[in-house]
Amino acid sequence: MEKLVIEGGIPLKGTVTVSGAKNSVLPLLAACLLTNERCRIKNVPNLRDVSTMIKILRSLGASAEFSNGEVTVEAKNLKSHTADYKLVSTMRASFCVLGPLLGRFRKAKVSLPGGCIIGVRPVDLHIKGIQALGAKVDIQGGYVVVEAKHLSGGNMYLGGAFGSSVLATDNVMMAAVLAKGKTVIESAACEPEVVDLANFLNKMGAKIRGQGTPCIEIEGVRHLHGTDYQVIPDRIEAGTLVLAAAITKGDCVIKGAFKEHLAAVLDKLSDCGVRIEDVDGGLRVRPRKSLKPVNVTTLPYPCFPTDMQAQMMSLMSVTPGVSVFTEKIYPDRFMHVAELNRMGANIMREGPHAIIEGKKLLSGAPVMASDLRASAALVLAGLVAKGRTEISRIYHLDRGYENMELKLQKLGARVWRDRE
Ligand code: UD1
């Protein structure tokens, strides 16, 4: 196993470019199953999750090749409509092959992804949406088995206890594009990655309107064709790099960071005292000398993203004063708290809240990554901490950040990989 070693305390300076969005590319790859023609997806990050999705497509009989940031998929000779437990259990996003398999074959069998370290993650909204299209759904031996003699458009409300669901919206959209008639999804997720998927499907010949709003309308078509498509930049990676500049009191240009995708995060940072300007193709980040604490509540897009909560907490850990975080999407997503405290942070968790008393300084320590965004939070803390931080189980970071240490090195950070 590999670990990441960071010697902190260097203000980051320079320009870095964000990779393609992981959370866009995974459903896009699944959507390629909807046509027997070739699709080419560009700006694909080289990540473990992308390799897992490619393995799933191949296990279904599709050909999928990844080279130079492009994935070419041809799902002409699919041999199976079953997505196996071994693959699906390693990555929750693989559950989004359910919609395309149902759309194309009128049947699908996909392993239930189960919970994960950030909490219970049900799929009731996916099932509700699929049922509204006329499919029969059974749970058998840990698999969701769906079948529809006639897949037809339907009206549905997809809001759950925690708001809308990104992958449930994706799954229903992908099944509905080949259903007969019109589908209306109320309380659809508005995330930019959902918009990216809808735009990709439209380029394949689908008829989707309203993407990016809580009401999506889909007029079913008979078939979709192959196409080329460029994935949007990763807003969570962009936000993490913005925070890397802010936490180290650096001066960086983050190319591919879009203001409109990061409005809630940038608004908080501006309240904090971080100056952010538009520059050609990205954002320039220059924090003021002393920052102010801010409170953060995570909610579905366009509010503050749960995927940025851990990283923002690292910044508040070194911002003198008190801040309160409330996690409304995954109330148990606080694994980073104990590790940040090992580095000298003063964070107290109370149910879905965390109270942070910002310190002047953190100190480097051996810490353990527990999940993707928690590992990014530890990287940020390591960049500002005094001394050496060693982050073990760095494979979590590799699930969602392409060449993170190379990007940080480019900005002047002392960071490298080592064997554990
Ligand atoms: C996606 C993102 C993930 C992000 C999350 C929330 C991808 C590949 N992953 O995950 O990085 O953290 O959105 O922004 O895009 N829920 C239900 N029932 C369901 C489905 C979800 O109650 O059937 C709940 C979840 O437990 C959670 C909330 O709804 O509390 C939002 O989850 P959801 O948007 O579905 O997350 P994912 O799409 O899995």
Side-chain angles (χ1 to χ4, degrees):
M1 268 201 283
E2 287 183 321
K3 63 182 176 185
L4 207 62
V5 185
I6 307 174
E7 279 173 2
I10 300 174
L12 301 188
K13 291 205 164 71
T15 299
V16 73
T17 303
V18 175
S19 299
K22 166 183 92 72
N23 286 353
S24 264
V25 82
L26 300 174
L28 255 66
L29 289 172
C32 296
L33 294 169
L34 284 161
T35 174
N36 55 15
E37 294 178 21
R38 209 184 60 161
C39 291
R40 194 157 57 132
I41 301 177
K42 302 177 198 173
N43 197 28
V44 176
N46 191 2
L47 301 171
R48 255 184 35 159
D49 277 9
V50 171
S51 314
T52 305
M53 187 53 101
I54 287 176
K55 277 187 200 149
I56 291 173
L57 297 183
R58 287 183 183 150
S59 76
L60 297 167
S63 76
E65 298 307 326
F66 188 3
S67 83
N68 294 329
E70 287 187 12
V71 181
T72 308
V73 182
E74 198 172 285
K76 201 189 305 185
N77 301 312
L78 291 184
K79 60 175 196 281
S80 165
H81 61 276
T82 302
D84 193 62
Y85 171 71
K86 271 203 205 99
L87 288 168
V88 177
S89 60
T90 63
M91 182 182 76
R92 198 186 148 78
S94 45
F95 195 65
C96 70
V97 296
L98 183 76
L101 286 174
L102 177 65
R104 178 122 177 236
F105 297 111
R106 302 304 195 236
K107 60 181 179 183
K109 184 175 170 189
V110 179
S111 170
L112 276 163
C116 68
I117 186 99
I118 67 173
V120 182
R121 297 182 75 175
V123 293
D124 55 310
L125 296 172
H126 300 244
I127 291 176
K128 185 179 176 190
I130 295 290
Q131 281 172 331
L133 301 178
K136 193 170 148 288
V137 181
D138 273 327
I139 309 292
Q140 290 170 7
Y143 282 77
V144 178
V145 183
V146 296
E147 196 160 359
K149 281 211 174 74
H150 307 285
L151 203 58
S152 47
N155 291 358
M156 66 194 77
Y157 174 80
L158 281 194
F162 300 94
S164 54
S165 161
V166 174
L167 288 176
T169 305
D170 289 349
N171 251 333
V172 171
M173 237 171 19
M174 290 189 277
V177 285
L178 291 181
K180 194 163 186 285
K182 185 175 172 181
T183 296
V184 179
I185 310 175
E186 300 280 2
S187 195
C190 302
E191 271 72 0
E193 296 78 17
V194 174
V195 177
D196 212 27
L197 175 63
N199 292 345
F200 175 58
L201 291 167
N202 281 345
K203 223 175 156 215
M204 293 170 80
K207 290 188 177 159
I208 304 174
R209 287 189 311 171
Q211 57 269 36
T213 78
C215 179
I216 296 181
E217 293 182 8
I218 303 148
E219 198 66 59
V221 296
R222 273 178 180 276
H223 84 281
L224 297 182
H225 54 76
T227 190
D228 288 3
Y229 193 80
Q230 168 115 354
V231 178
I232 55 169
D234 194 305
R235 68 190 162 102
I236 305 300
E237 189 199 346
T240 305
L241 289 166
V242 166
L243 282 180
I247 203 167
T248 62
K249 301 274 162 58
D251 180 353
C252 299
V253 170
I254 316 295
K255 293 256 181 189
F258 293 158
K259 248 184 181 164
E260 60 274 26
H261 287 174
L262 282 166
V265 174
L266 300 182
D267 184 61
K268 283 289 167 199
L269 288 175
S270 146
D271 288 351
C272 242
V274 180
R275 285 163 300 179
I276 299 187
E277 298 154 49
D278 277 316
V279 292
D280 188 29
L283 297 173
R284 181 175 180 192
V285 187
R286 280 181 305 150
R288 291 185 201 285
K289 229 175 170 175
S290 63
L291 299 182
K292 285 191 298 194
V294 287
N295 297 332
V296 168
T297 300
T298 65
L299 283 167
Y301 190 84
C303 299
F304 197 95
T306 174
D307 285 352
M308 287 296 302
Q309 180 254 106
Q311 302 91 310
M312 188 71 180
M313 198 176 288
S314 295
L315 179 64
M316 289 302 101
S317 299
V318 287
T319 302
V322 173
S323 54
V324 178
F325 279 40
T326 304
E327 176 54 69
K328 292 237 181 174
I329 310 283
Y330 299 114
D332 287 324
R333 190 177 206 177
F334 287 113
M335 274 68 57
H336 43 287
V337 166
E339 298 303 295
L340 289 174
N341 282 345
R342 296 195 72 248
M343 297 176 73
N346 186 2
I347 308 170
M348 193 185 74
R349 182 192 163 186
E350 183 62 55
H353 308 287
I355 297 136
I356 301 120
E357 194 195 329
K359 293 293 194 64
K360 278 220 167 85
L361 209 59
L362 297 181
S363 62
V367 286
M368 196 180 285
S370 56
D371 68 84
L372 172 55
R373 305 306 170 187
S375 44
L378 296 177
V379 171
L380 294 179
L383 288 173
V384 70
K386 190 165 187 298
R388 177 185 281 227
T389 297
E390 296 193 358
I391 308 173
S392 54
R393 302 198 177 171
I394 205 64
Y395 58 86
H396 287 293
L397 189 77
D398 296 334
R399 277 195 44 219
Y401 290 93
E402 184 182 46
N403 299 330
M404 191 50 151
E405 77 276 18
L406 299 184
K407 285 174 182 155
L408 293 172
Q409 281 166 7
K410 197 164 174 257
L411 298 173
R414 270 196 300 261
V415 51
W416 65 94
R417 241 165 232 264
D418 219 336
R419 294 216 66 79
E420 281 203 50

